[in-house]
Every structure is written in structure tokens, then in C-alpha cells.
Amino acid sequence: MLSLRDLSVYRGDLQIIRHITADFEQNRVHVILGVNGSGKSTLAGGIMGIYPTTGSVKLNGEEISRLPVFERARRGLTLAFQDPARFEGLRVKDYLLVSSKEKKLSDVLDAIRIVGLSESILSKKMDDSLSGGERKRVELASVLLMKPKVVILDEPDSGIDMVSYHRIRAGIEALRKEACVLLITHNKELVFMGDYAYLLHDGRIIRQGMPGEIKEYFEQNFTEGVNNDGY
Amino acid sequence: MMDIENAMERYSQPGRGEATIFIHKNNVVRTVNAQGVKIEAESRDNEVHVNITVSEKIDKVVHLCFAILREEGEQRIKAHIKMEDGTAARFLSHCVFPAAKKIRHDSEIHVEVGNGAHFNYEEEHIHSNTGEIVINSHVIARVGIKGSFELSFTAKKGRAGTINAITDVHLLTEARANIIARIAAKSDDAIALDENMQLAGCSSKGIIKTRVVLREHAKSVVRSEIVGEGTNSRGHIDCTEILMDHAEARAEPNVYVKNPRAKLTHEAAIGRIDDRQITTLMCRGLSEDEATDIIVEGILR
């Protein structure tokens, strides 16, 4: 589904992600776990085409590493940001219709239902009138509407309450049915949402395996964002 | 063209109980009075003099159309709108210049908002794409005790051309005012806004909000000033100008406090569209141009 080969990602002159090779399969949630500063968001941006890269990114066998962001999105790859952008004047309904392939209101209603939002949210503006949890759920609804093949969720649980957390989990489960999900997080408790997990540190994947194994390794070697064993 | 056709159709239909005035160039084509709204208009000395008096609370919209449907022409409007005490009305004003190649529109509108009266005026400009159009607009308003004044100026269809718009609003005790301008300019359009609000009365409140989007070589100067004279008066200036290509913008928000118990604030931002907004929409499959259009539409909404 999504294949990375020797992928490096740059921010300015700095090489943040270093030579990552991995394969991500459909109908699976792949958790990429890492402490703050490990390069998680940069990896997401590199795959999406936001930051310059070297190496290969293939989507369903097609090389997409030279394509601009929107062309990758049109081929079925998308990204939900950790801190979704605010848009002055743009209503939630307009924002979601942008993502809806067939521009159907019924699809929009289905998507907001999955993430636990009520219809009244549609008339709200995409600015500070939305709470952090609402903004995250709207972002997830917009991703659902795209019917993507591969979706990258960058810290989907950060800064939200428990209600939003459970709704976002429901959204991720809905995505899993149709897509390949890359769930990027610093929260080790989210590892069990995944079928497979990777541990990212200093721009490299230093370990991969079953979620329990990765969580255990993380707990043994990283405490409160500080690694204990020299990484 | 649908917007123009819809706008024109509204003014050509008789009846419906809505007060209407339709002025083409300096000719009064049609006036319709309605319950609680009296409109008088006459052409003299190459200008049109309009007097509108609102004597009760009006549910239906009052329609004003100032048009030049030909390529060239001049229009001079002098209007006086009087909202008697305790009245309310919403005015929709269409300034329609769809074929403009050499058009000049001058307007001077005096508004008297009586005590406890509510005045809402939405002026929408529909221009051609040539940019050969000059708009000189001056609104002078006095808002009575506990009265309210809402003014919206929108020019986002066609080329803005040259716009010089001045607004002077004077508020008495517990009066409210809200002024908003939304303008999209491109090519060599030149926008000059001069917005002034005097919070003279105790507990008067006002907001001046400006949204200007400039592309190509368009330029804008936005001067906004609120003077806080009344005790417990509150005012805020909120100006955002978005620049693209080679456009230039200047914002001059001024707050002048004459009473230590008045409080005025301002914010002004000039810059390009936030990259994160564009990137977010590109992640949904929109090209950069498509994303820009959607963001701009939101800012000007």
C-alpha cells in the first residue's frame, strides 16, 4: 500500500529523518511512537510532500515522491494535522464539503456522526469558535470524507478530553476498514490501537514489532520524553 | 451574470411591499414607497438627491440600486436617511456597474439614527472586470441614544477599481456601531479606506473591521480611528489585509482615548495567507490556487 525506501526528510538544511525503509499495509493501523523531537511530524510531512525528501515513497506501487502535496492527496494519501489550521469565515460545512469527493451533504452528515459531532457544528466557523476537541474531530471527519487509501494521523489524541478521545478512536476504526492508517503519537497508551508499531528516535526507526513489545521497550528505555540508554 | 440579473430583477418587479429606489446614471428610474418608508428623489444639477425617512420598524428590506449599465458614465448621489426614534430597517444597496470601462460613482450619504433606532445598511458593489471605475463614497452618521448602526461595504465581484471610501460615525450614549469592509482587489486597483468612529456617549461601543485581499499590483491604505470620549465607551479596530504577488498594503489603526474610563483596542495584520491553511487544503486534494480561492472567500465572507 505505502512503501518507504531509504527515505530522508529535510527541514531547511537539516536532515531530520534518516534513511527510513518501511511498508504499511491496508486495513491495518501502524503506530509510529516517539518522544517529542524524534521527528514524527517531519516524517508525516515528508511522506505527504510538505518537506523535501530523498529516497522513495510509493503508493500502491506508484512512485509519488516527486509529486506535489495535492497530487498525492488526489491519489489517496492524506494527513490530519496535530494542530488543525483555523480558517476565518469558513464554515465547518464548507470545509468538509471540500474533502467530500462527491460533495454530498449526506456524506458529510455520516462523517460527523462517526466522530460524534452533531449537525449543529456544520454552521460554526472554522476559527476559534471550535474547541480543540471539536477541531480534531472535524479534521478526522474531513479525512473520512476523502475515502483515502492511506491516512496519516499526527497526534490525534493531543489536547482533547475523554469524550473526544473515544470519538476519535471510533473514527480511526472506521478508517481502518477501508484504508491503511499511520498513527503518529508520543502517547505509549495508543500503541495498542495499532496492529504493528515502530519506535522512532532521532529520525530513525530504532525498533519495530508488535504493540506490546514496542510499548515495553519504550517504557524501559524512555521516561517522560527522555531516553535512558544513550539514544 | 446571474448576480447582476437577480439584482436587476429585484428592482424591476413592482409591488411586494418593499420600498425601492432604482437610479441609473443620474436619472431616477423608479421609486416605491412602503408602509413606514418614504422615499423622495429628484435629479438636479447633474446629481440625484434622495431623502429616505423611516417612521416605524420595518420587517421588509429597503432596496437601493445605484447603477450604470453602460460602459461610460458618471453618477453623483446625495442621500439623507432619517431613522426616526424607535424605528428599525435593513437596507440592501447594490452598486451595479457591470460593463464599466470609464465609470465614476460619487456618493455622500448622511444617516441620522434616532434614539433607540436600528439601522442596518449593506452595500454590495458589482463591477466589471476592466477596473476602469472610480468609487468615491462618504457616509456620515450620527447614532442617537441606544441606537445602533451597522454598515457593511462589500466589493468582491469584478475589479474593485479605485475606491476611496470615508466613513464618519458619531455615537451618543449607549449607542452601538459596527462597520465592516470586505474588498478584493487585483491588477492595479487602488483602495483607500478612511474609517472614523467617535464614541462620544457614555457606554457607547463600536467595532471597525476591515478585510482586504490584494493580488497582483493592487494597493491599499486603510486608516481606521476610534476616539473614546464617553465614560465606559469601548471600541475595537480589527484590520486584516492579505497580500499576494506584488501587492502592497498599509494599515494605520489609531485609537485616541480622551476619557480614562474609555477602553479602546486594535489589531492589524498584513501578510500573505497562512501556509498551514494552504497546506491543509492541499492535503485534501486542492491545488494551491484552489486552496487560495477558498481561504480568500472565507476571509471576505
Side-chain angles (χ1 to χ4, degrees), chain B residues 1-292:
Chain B
M1 288 296 284
M2 273 313 290
D3 290 319
I4 295 167
E5 287 166 5
N6 289 341
M8 302 316 296
E9 186 187 353
R10 183 175 294 280
Y11 297 101
S12 62
Q13 288 177 357
R16 299 204 303 191
E18 293 175 337
T20 302
I21 182 166
F22 178 17
I23 295 170
H24 184 255
K25 296 180 79 173
N26 286 323
N27 303 309
V28 181
V29 177
R30 174 182 169 80
T31 58
V32 178
N33 288 318
Q35 174 77 30
V37 186
K38 183 181 177 188
I39 301 177
E40 297 170 317
E42 68 167 325
S43 300
R44 64 172 190 265
D45 304 329
N46 289 325
E47 59 187 25
V48 180
H49 294 256
V50 181
N51 277 298
I52 301 174
T53 304
V54 176
S55 56
E56 57 187 76
K57 287 184 179 174
I58 307 298
D59 292 331
K60 293 186 175 174
V61 174
V62 179
H63 294 278
L64 315 176
C65 182
F66 306 114
I68 298 178
L69 301 179
R70 303 212 173 93
E71 293 179 350
E72 297 185 3
E74 292 193 0
Q75 184 172 61
R76 289 171 61 83
I77 308 289
K78 283 200 171 175
H80 183 236
I81 301 174
K82 182 173 184 181
M83 303 285 298
E84 294 183 351
D85 291 351
T87 59
R90 178 173 171 237
F91 292 75
L92 276 185
S93 170
H94 287 102
C95 295
V96 185
F97 311 105
K101 283 191 176 169
K102 189 178 178 187
I103 295 279
R104 178 186 168 120
H105 164 90
D106 294 348
S107 68
E108 183 178 305
I109 301 175
H110 292 260
V111 184
E112 271 185 76
V113 181
N115 295 337
H118 301 288
F119 173 80
N120 184 314
Y121 190 92
E122 296 169 31
E123 180 170 317
E124 183 181 15
H125 282 251
I126 299 169
H127 296 178
S128 70
N129 286 314
T130 65
E132 299 299 320
I133 185 163
V134 177
I135 304 292
N136 296 308
S137 158
H138 191 181
V139 175
I140 305 110
R142 181 183 178 280
V143 188
I145 297 167
K146 294 188 178 178
S148 71
F149 175 89
E150 304 262 341
L151 173 66
S152 157
F153 179 99
T154 305
K156 54 184 186 180
K157 291 175 182 166
R159 282 273 305 277
T162 301
I163 295 179
N164 301 300
I166 305 170
T167 309
D168 293 303
V169 184
H170 183 98
L171 285 83
L172 299 184
T173 300
E174 293 186 44
R176 304 280 183 270
N178 196 349
I179 300 171
I180 179 161
R182 303 177 186 90
I183 298 172
K186 58 187 175 184
S187 188
D188 59 352
D189 290 345
I191 312 301
L193 303 180
D194 189 350
E195 302 156 319
N196 305 286
M197 190 178 287
Q198 193 173 8
L199 303 174
C202 299
S203 301
S204 54
K205 291 183 181 173
I207 296 174
I208 299 174
K209 186 173 174 180
T210 312
R211 296 290 181 267
V212 179
V213 177
L214 303 145
R215 299 173 195 252
E216 298 163 6
H217 289 88
K219 292 182 179 176
S220 76
V221 178
V222 178
R223 294 189 186 88
S224 312
E225 180 170 281
I226 300 185
V227 180
E229 289 181 2
T231 300
N232 293 328
S233 58
R234 298 285 182 268
H236 182 65
I237 295 169
D238 173 5
C239 174
T240 299
E241 295 179 78
I242 300 291
L243 299 185
M244 286 176 260
D245 310 316
H246 304 286
E248 295 177 17
R250 194 163 70 196
E252 297 176 11
N254 286 309
V255 288
Y256 180 13
V257 179
K258 291 185 172 180
N259 182 326
R261 293 186 63 187
K263 184 176 179 183
L264 308 180
T265 53
H266 69 82
E267 55 185 314
I270 299 178
R272 59 184 201 159
I273 293 174
D274 184 355
D275 281 344
R276 263 170 36 83
Q277 293 178 332
I278 290 182
T279 305
T280 296
L281 293 176
M282 289 176 76
C283 287
R284 303 292 173 265
L286 274 65
S287 68
E288 187 168 345
D289 286 346
E290 291 167 339
T292 300

Side-chain angles (χ1 to χ4, degrees), chain A residues 36-73:
Chain A
N36 292 333
S38 58
K40 303 185 297 296
S41 294
T42 301
L43 174 60
I47 295 170
M48 196 67 225
I50 297 168
Y51 305 125
T53 59
T54 56
S56 166
V57 180
K58 284 187 177 175
L59 180 65
N60 278 342
E62 182 190 6
E63 181 64 52
I64 62 167
S65 60
R66 302 275 76 85
L67 293 178
V69 175
F70 72 95
E71 289 289 1
R72 297 184 198 207

Side-chain angles (χ1 to χ4, degrees), chain A residues 48 50 69-70 73-74 78-79 81 83-91 94-95 98-99 139 142-143 146, chain B residues 209 211 238 240 274 276-288 290 294-295 297-301:
Chain A
M48 196 67 225
I50 297 168
V69 175
F70 72 95
R74 288 175 185 179
T78 193
L79 165 65
F81 288 89
D83 181 18
R86 293 156 176 79
F87 294 89
E88 179 179 348
L90 195 65
R91 290 177 306 167
D94 302 323
Y95 179 66
V98 163
S99 305
E139 186 78 345
S142 79
V143 164
M146 284 189 70
Chain B
K209 186 173 174 180
R211 296 290 181 267
D238 173 5
T240 299
D274 184 355
R276 263 170 36 83
Q277 293 178 332
I278 290 182
T279 305
T280 296
L281 293 176
M282 289 176 76
C283 287
R284 303 292 173 265
L286 274 65
S287 68
E288 187 168 345
E290 291 167 339
I294 284 184
I295 295 163
E297 177 62 30
I299 290 167
L300 293 175
R301 182 170 290 160

Side-chain angles (χ1 to χ4, degrees), chain A residues 3-18:
Chain A
S3 299
L4 312 180
R5 291 289 177 272
D6 196 27
L7 182 73
S8 294
V9 187
Y10 300 82
R11 303 281 290 265
D13 294 334
L14 292 176
Q15 184 183 14
I16 306 295
I17 295 297
R18 301 157 193 271

